[in-house]
Amino acid sequence: MTERITSVATIDVRFPTSRHRDGSDAMNPFPDYSAAYVILRTSAGATGHGLVFTVGRGTEIQVAAVQSLAPMVVGQPVDALTADPGALARRLVGDSQIRWLGPEKGVVHMAAGGLVNAVWDLAARRAGKPLWKLLADLTPEQLVAQVDFRYLRDALTEDEALALLRAAAAGRAERERRLLAEGYPAYTTTPGWLGYDDEKLARLCAEAVRDGYGLIKLKVGGNLADDVRRMGIARQAVGPDVRIAVDANQIWGVPDAIRWMRELAAFDPYWIEEPTSPDDVLGHAAVRKALAPVKVATGEHVHNAVMFKQLLQADAVDVVQIDACRVAGVNENLAILLLAAKFGVPVCPHAGGVGLCELVQHLAMFDFVAVSGSADDRAIEYVDHLHEHFVDPVRVTGGRYLAPTAPGMSAEIVAASVTDYRYPDGPQWTRRPAAAGAPSA
């Protein structure tokens, strides 16, 4: 009998990170790292796992969006889905009625990504490979067939994408060997949450250096005097040779971003991340021009490949930050990686939120092996929160991600954690109230 998808379970899982202000920044002072967790089940008993990262309230809306798309997946033959996830991606993104709610942005687009990623996880499990390896083993022609070029051809054509991938094929085996032997560079945001006190900031900065990180990131944008003081503490703790990136999480308008960053210039910031609205392409270009040589980084809230295309065309970004859950899954992230390679802009993925490190490591490692062929000025964000809740958690040592070897996309959450942190009826939520100001309770 033909193996088919028999069910899609979508579960609201929330972790009360607001209680210790883990994840706090200028725009999100009390986040509860959460996920709409997706589990595909097949008639043969196989599973595929995906998730959509959220920060508390509204996760129930994300769950509903996934459920609204689930009928397009249930009943589908598994062989066809896993052989061509791009066909599913186009079907989910292009549904004429649900697309109206985007189009190609927001909760419906992210819901499509959760399902598409779960199919890729299923495909990798069936192949017995980690996702990065499954992708790297595809031919250039197979990879290009997974990308929807409709809105991209003015910046990147199918032929150009094929040429990029074919050029990278020559050194693929050696880069894979290096990846398995040496891992992939990481940077850490663990020291820099805005809600941490000065002592914790200094201690965690010093620990990051001892742990081998050459780049740390601080949240900024709450109060200028506090940012100046905190940057001074961090610079003293890490010394002159460790890079310090800063992240405003969209809190500023363009003039404020320029003014504020000029006040922080004495501390040699490496990049300013999300200096203004993620939709303001020309604003990012203006900030970049005014603040050079400080780099401009963005991407975690850039909602589709078209916006990345425009950021690159407008010379508005120095660092592309893909996110495994913001866009419509692996296929659209493949398009973004190809665009970044075409424009010669390094990719430093956004991670940190629950499951984001686990998922996005596969995309960055695939990029190194099979697309850009480079790890120069590239690093995956790392935060040391919540990895214990995953069956195949990330492994970081000496400031480097070790390549995952287990089959899949590393998205499966430990069953006991799903039970404990399910919202609102899991014991972690029924036994204790949330912190004051927390979004979920």
Side-chain angles (χ1 to χ4, degrees):
M1 293 180 63
T2 300
E3 184 182 8
R4 296 182 181 274
I5 303 294
T6 55
S7 68
V8 176
T10 313
I11 306 164
D12 186 334
V13 182
R14 307 189 194 187
F15 299 92
T17 52
S18 61
R19 291 170 180 159
H20 301 287
R21 300 204 66 186
D22 298 335
S24 54
D25 58 57
M27 188 66 80
N28 307 285
F30 291 98
D32 281 329
Y33 278 3
S34 308
Y37 178 44
V38 181
I39 306 172
L40 308 181
R41 291 187 171 87
T42 81
S43 55
T47 58
H49 301 258
L51 59 87
V52 183
F53 171 63
T54 58
V55 293
R57 275 198 304 270
T59 307
E60 71 280 4
I61 301 171
Q62 191 63 70
V63 168
V66 175
Q67 291 172 339
S68 73
L69 292 169
M72 300 184 207
V73 181
V74 173
Q76 294 299 309
V78 173
D79 284 345
L81 277 182
T82 57
D84 185 13
L88 173 67
R90 289 188 288 273
R91 188 160 64 248
L92 295 175
V93 170
D95 179 84
S96 63
Q97 294 185 0
I98 292 177
R99 184 181 184 274
W100 183 268
L101 302 177
E104 299 181 29
K105 63 178 71 67
V107 293
V108 292
H109 204 53
M110 294 161 70
L115 288 163
V116 168
N117 285 348
V119 168
W120 278 105
D121 179 70
L122 175 61
R125 287 165 178 264
R126 295 181 95 217
K129 300 177 182 181
L131 179 68
W132 66 264
K133 172 65 171 168
L134 175 71
L135 291 170
D137 285 347
L138 296 177
T139 67
E141 292 77 13
Q142 289 173 316
L143 289 168
V144 167
Q146 289 301 303
V147 175
D148 184 350
F149 285 87
R150 174 172 42 172
Y151 299 138
L152 306 180
R153 290 188 183 98
D154 57 320
L156 177 72
T157 67
E158 289 91 336
D159 286 344
E160 288 174 320
L162 279 171
L164 284 167
L165 292 166
R166 288 167 179 164
R172 186 183 298 187
E174 173 58 21
R175 288 191 297 274
E176 183 175 325
R177 185 199 65 76
R178 283 178 52 198
L179 175 66
L180 290 169
E182 303 170 9
Y184 192 98
Y187 78 89
T188 181
T189 308
T190 296
W193 301 117
L194 205 60
Y196 288 175
D197 61 34
D198 291 355
E199 183 280 329
K200 190 171 185 177
L201 168 65
R203 174 172 54 82
L204 292 177
C205 284
E207 288 177 5
V209 175
R210 289 197 296 271
D211 289 342
Y213 294 99
L215 170 64
I216 67 168
K217 188 168 77 182
L218 270 61
K219 301 294 185 172
V220 297
N223 177 278
L224 180 55
D226 288 344
D227 285 349
V228 170
R229 185 188 73 255
R230 294 173 68 251
M231 284 289 284
I233 292 168
R235 179 53 72 196
Q236 183 175 10
V238 304
D241 298 326
V242 172
R243 291 170 169 172
I244 301 177
V246 295
D247 184 357
N249 290 96
Q250 316 160 37
I251 198 69
W252 301 319
V254 171
D256 290 332
I258 294 169
R259 175 182 59 85
W260 204 295
M261 285 303 299
R262 284 175 175 164
E263 295 294 325
L264 300 181
F267 303 102
D268 190 23
Y270 181 58
W271 77 52
I272 171 59
E273 182 174 331
E274 289 198 313
T276 191
S277 165
D279 298 344
D280 191 352
V281 172
L282 298 182
H284 277 80
V287 171
R288 181 174 182 260
K289 182 177 180 181
L291 296 181
V294 177
K295 300 179 185 296
V296 168
T298 198
E300 69 181 88
H301 284 86
V302 175
H303 40 246
N304 56 44
V306 174
M307 292 295 297
F308 279 101
K309 178 190 76 169
Q310 292 181 60
L311 286 162
L312 292 163
Q313 288 174 318
D315 292 326
V317 62
D318 298 286
V319 179
V320 165
Q321 295 177 303
I322 61 170
D323 183 282
C325 297
R326 176 62 58 179
V327 300
V330 169
N331 299 76
E332 192 165 16
N333 267 312
L334 173 55
I336 296 163
L337 291 172
L338 288 165
L339 283 165
K342 160 73 181 296
F343 282 85
V345 175
V347 174
C348 294
H350 169 249
V354 59
L356 295 185
C357 295
E358 277 71 20
L359 271 62
V360 85
Q361 63 178 333
H362 291 273
L363 301 176
M365 292 174 185
F366 158 68
D367 176 70
F368 169 63
V369 173
V371 184
S372 71
S374 175
D376 295 341
D377 291 326
R378 290 163 167 82
I380 307 168
E381 185 174 18
Y382 176 71
V383 176
D384 62 354
H385 303 150
L386 306 176
H387 303 295
E388 68 274 14
H389 299 292
F390 286 83
V391 172
D392 182 28
V394 294
R395 299 170 297 149
V396 175
T397 183
R400 300 181 75 86
Y401 275 78
L402 302 183
T405 56
M409 199 179 180
S410 309
E412 183 178 1
I413 300 178
V414 173
S417 296
V418 176
T419 299
D420 287 348
Y421 291 92
R422 181 176 182 137
Y423 186 83
D425 55 346
Q428 290 292 333
W429 290 105
T430 58
R431 292 174 187 168
R432 293 190 298 170
S440 290

